[in-house]
Each structure stands twice: as structure tokens, then as C-alpha cells.
Amino acid sequence: MLLDDEIIGLANLSDRAHAILKNPDRQIKFQLRKHTPKGKIVDCYLVYHSTARGPPCKGGIRMSEGVSLEETTRLAEIMTYKNSLMGLPFGGGKGGIQTSSSLLPELKETVISGYAHEIREELYSGAYVPAPDLGTGPRQMADIFDVTHIRSTVTGKPVGIGGIPGRKEATGFGIKEATGIATRNILNTEVSDLTVAVQGFGNVGAWTSKFLEEEGAKIVSISTAEGAIYDEDGIDISKCFESRKHLGDKCTLECENAEKIELGSELLLDVDILIPAATGGVITKEVAEDLQAGLVVEGANAPTTNQGDRVLRERDIPVVPDILANAGGVVASYAEWRGAKSGSKTKKRETYQVIRENIHEAFDEVLDISTNIEIPLRKAAMVASARRLRETMKGRGWI
Ligand code: NAD
């Protein structure tokens, strides 16, 4: 539950509005039994947290061993507030497939096609529009398109079938923008003066690292599930991109000059900015107590536990929350979905522009609330988002 009493009060949510947002609208649970890895039964989920600003409900499909109904529900809830903060006409949804993300491509295709087949009514009706998340990418979105043959049913597709240029790097681009705003407004400096550690070198972490490196930041540490590396002179991100093409997650084991460090210790490095961009719940109370970064920018969804967040607040370490920092992906998905509906074509610079505008507008609003009421950025982002949800529900006659 992302709402607390303070946010409910500041967003002026009535008991009825709170009751509507408290529980998920709909949870769908099913199993895949055919053509699954080693004949296993694969548990699958689709959750709509809130349809106040939808349908469609928007949020990615996660494919990972750690997927559960609880996690999918929590991630759908995050999408409700992210979509609302960005002012998008989307409810919050999430898909989950509980299986390893490192399956052979053919097996991954069978699993994702089976998933899409099972939720076909949700896709055809436009109730749920999926996108990539942990363990899925453009190839899997293409597999979904192969089931529906309707461009607006899925975003994050390859460009040739209606994807838009700039979508695959959109989340990283947005994180770079958010990091720049936070750096100027909170640290009173420029990104080019700073050192950064990034956890996760998948879609989000790799593009975030690349964009920040281009801005002149020194990326001193990156990691994947296979290992973490450190180079005080800065890691050559372009080279890591290249080696990732052949080695996947093992790219962090092959990087020249960089020193191998214990996985997880990248979170505790003495850097200016820490960007967790892998999985959830990694900044625990213990990690938060030992964390040395001056600013945390949440690239992943829910990387900080509630207890970890409390410690960071007590230690005055500012956190740019996930619903603001990593919203570039869903903003670009909105542009793709809108283009699919209207038949218009989007250029890469337009994708970047729409992300930049949305992140800046939302961040300005969040900074205003945070400064005026003297609350941390996470609470301020939730207040802005919940206020917009309240107005939407009022407009629909729900409250
Ligand atoms: P991905 O599957 O492309 O990459 C995940 C990366 O994290 C891989 O490099 C993997 O090896 C690494 N990783 C996993 N566990 C790790 C660990 N314990 N330590 C270090 N590295 C680890 O996933 P992604 O799309 O980059 O998503 C990453 C996070 O960003 C997720 O929390 C996701 O929900 C969030 N997110 C993704 C998008 C998007 O557009 N893809 C948008 C918003 C938020």
C-alpha cells in the first residue's frame, strides 16, 4: 500500500476515494501447462490495480523466478501512481510470469505466446496494454503482436511493426533527465562533476549508464546478476554495451581494467549518485544504514523497502522515487499507443522530447510540493499523483 495517512490527508482523499484505491480492481491468476520449461507448470498473473484513469491499464510484463501475485499487485499499484503522476490516460496494470528470465529464446517465445493467448480477451478489448519489464523486451512484445495482429494492443515493439524509435532507451533517457534535475536542484551541481554506481545492466541500467556517461558523469560501477565491477577512473560503457551483445549478463565479468567486487557491494560505494536499476527491495534497512551515496535515483520499481526508506529519510539522503524517475518508458509507450491508434509516425527526437517534457513538468510539480510542505520527494510525488486521481474519480462520478 503506497498511500499513508499523511498522503491521504495532503491529497484530500475521502474515505470512499481511499477505499477505491486501497485494493486492486482485478487480479487474474492462471497456469501455463504446455510447452513450458522442462514441462513445468508456470504460474501467471495479470493485475489491474486501478482503472480510474483507464482502461487501458498499462504496465509491463515481468518474467522472473521471483514473480508472485503479491509482487504483481504491488507493481500494478506503482503503475497507477506513475501513470497518474505523468498525467497519462492509463490505469495501473502489471503482468507476471513466474519463470526464469534466461530461458532459451525459443522457449521464451512459447511461454510469452501462451501467456498472450490466455489473456487475449484483455488484449483485444484494450483493457490491458503490455510493455517490457524485467526479463522481457521488444522481442517478447513482437511475440504478443504475433498473437493479436493489432498494433495498439502492445507497446515496446520493434520499430518495424509499429514500435517507435527511442522506446527501447526511453526509461534510461528519462532517468538521465530526472538525475539531471535532481543534481541541479538538490545537489546544486552538474551531472558532469559526479560519480555514479548503477545496479543492473539490462535495458534500464545500460541505457541510463550510457546517457549519463554522455553527459560527462563517471560511471564507476555497474553490475548484473552475474557480478559487479568497479573502476575509479570510470567504466567504458560503450565497450560494455558491445560485450553485452555476445555475453549477456556475463559482460560484467569480462570488462578490461575494472576490478571485480562482491555483488551487492555496488550499493554501498562512496559515490555521488546510486541508481538501483535491477530488481526490487535491494535497499533494505541494513543497506540504507551503510549507503554512502549522496543521492538515490530509483531506476528499478520499488528498489527501496519501507524500512530502508525510513533510514534514508533519517539520514537526509534524498531519493528520486520510481514513479517519477523511471516513468520515461511508460511516457514513450503512450506515444507509441497513441501513434498506433492514429496511424501517425513518431521520430526519435519526438520520443525524447515527449519524455523530457513529461519528466520536467512532473518533477517541477513534485519539487514545489516537497519544498512548500517540507516533505520528501517520494511523498510529494504520491501527493501530486493522488490529487490527480481524486480529480479523475470525481470527474467520473465515482466519488
Ligand atoms: P532487464 O531484464 O532488461 O535487466 C535486468 C538487469 O538486472 C540484468 O542486467 C540483470 O542481470 C540485473 N540483475 C538482476 N538481479 C540483479 C542483482 N541482484 N544484482 C545486480 N544485477 C541484477 O530489466 P529492465 O527492463 O532493465 O528492468 C529493470 C528494473 O527497471 C525493473 O525493476 C523494472 O521493473 C524497472 N523498469 C523497467 C522499465 C522498462 O522500460 N524496461 C520501465 C520502468 C521500470
Side-chain angles (χ1 to χ4, degrees), residues 319-335:
V319 179
V320 184
D322 47 7
I323 63 169
L324 178 58
N326 71 29
V330 73
V331 168
S333 274
Y334 171 61

Side-chain angles (χ1 to χ4, degrees), residues 347-364:
K347 295 197 168 80
K348 192 187 240 182
R349 65 174 158 73
E350 292 168 335
T351 307
Y352 287 175
Q353 185 55 23
V354 74
I355 297 169
R356 191 179 286 119
E357 269 171 26
N358 277 270
I359 296 281
H360 280 252
E361 267 174 33
F363 213 140
D364 285 351

Side-chain angles (χ1 to χ4, degrees), residues 60 62-63 75 79 82 94 101 108 131-137 167-172 175 198-206 222-228 244 248-252 263-264 266-267 276-280 282 298-303 322 325-330 333:
R62 178 168 290 199
M63 194 187 262
L75 293 167
M79 289 312 299
K82 192 186 298 182
K94 201 80 185 183
S101 59
K108 214 167 186 177
D133 190 67
L134 195 80
T136 60
R167 170 61 184 93
K168 72 172 183 303
E169 63 266 37
T171 305
I175 294 170
V198 182
Q199 182 184 58
F201 202 69
N203 174 280
V204 177
I222 60 167
S223 65
T224 67
E226 294 288 335
R244 194 174 64 136
D249 275 351
K250 291 202 167 62
C251 64
T252 43
L263 194 57
E266 72 277 23
L267 298 171
T279 186
V282 293
E298 293 187 334
N301 284 315
D322 47 7
N326 71 29
V330 73
S333 274

Side-chain angles (χ1 to χ4, degrees), residues 51-63:
T51 50
R53 294 178 68 84
C57 283
K58 196 88 188 75
I61 297 179
R62 178 168 290 199
M63 194 187 262

Side-chain angles (χ1 to χ4, degrees), residues 186-217:
I186 300 168
L187 303 182
N188 296 316
T189 179
E190 292 296 329
V191 165
S192 54
D193 294 331
L194 303 180
T195 54
V196 184
V198 182
Q199 182 184 58
F201 202 69
N203 174 280
V204 177
W207 285 106
T208 299
S209 306
K210 191 158 180 26
F211 284 121
L212 286 173
E213 185 188 55
E214 280 169 15
E215 296 280 304

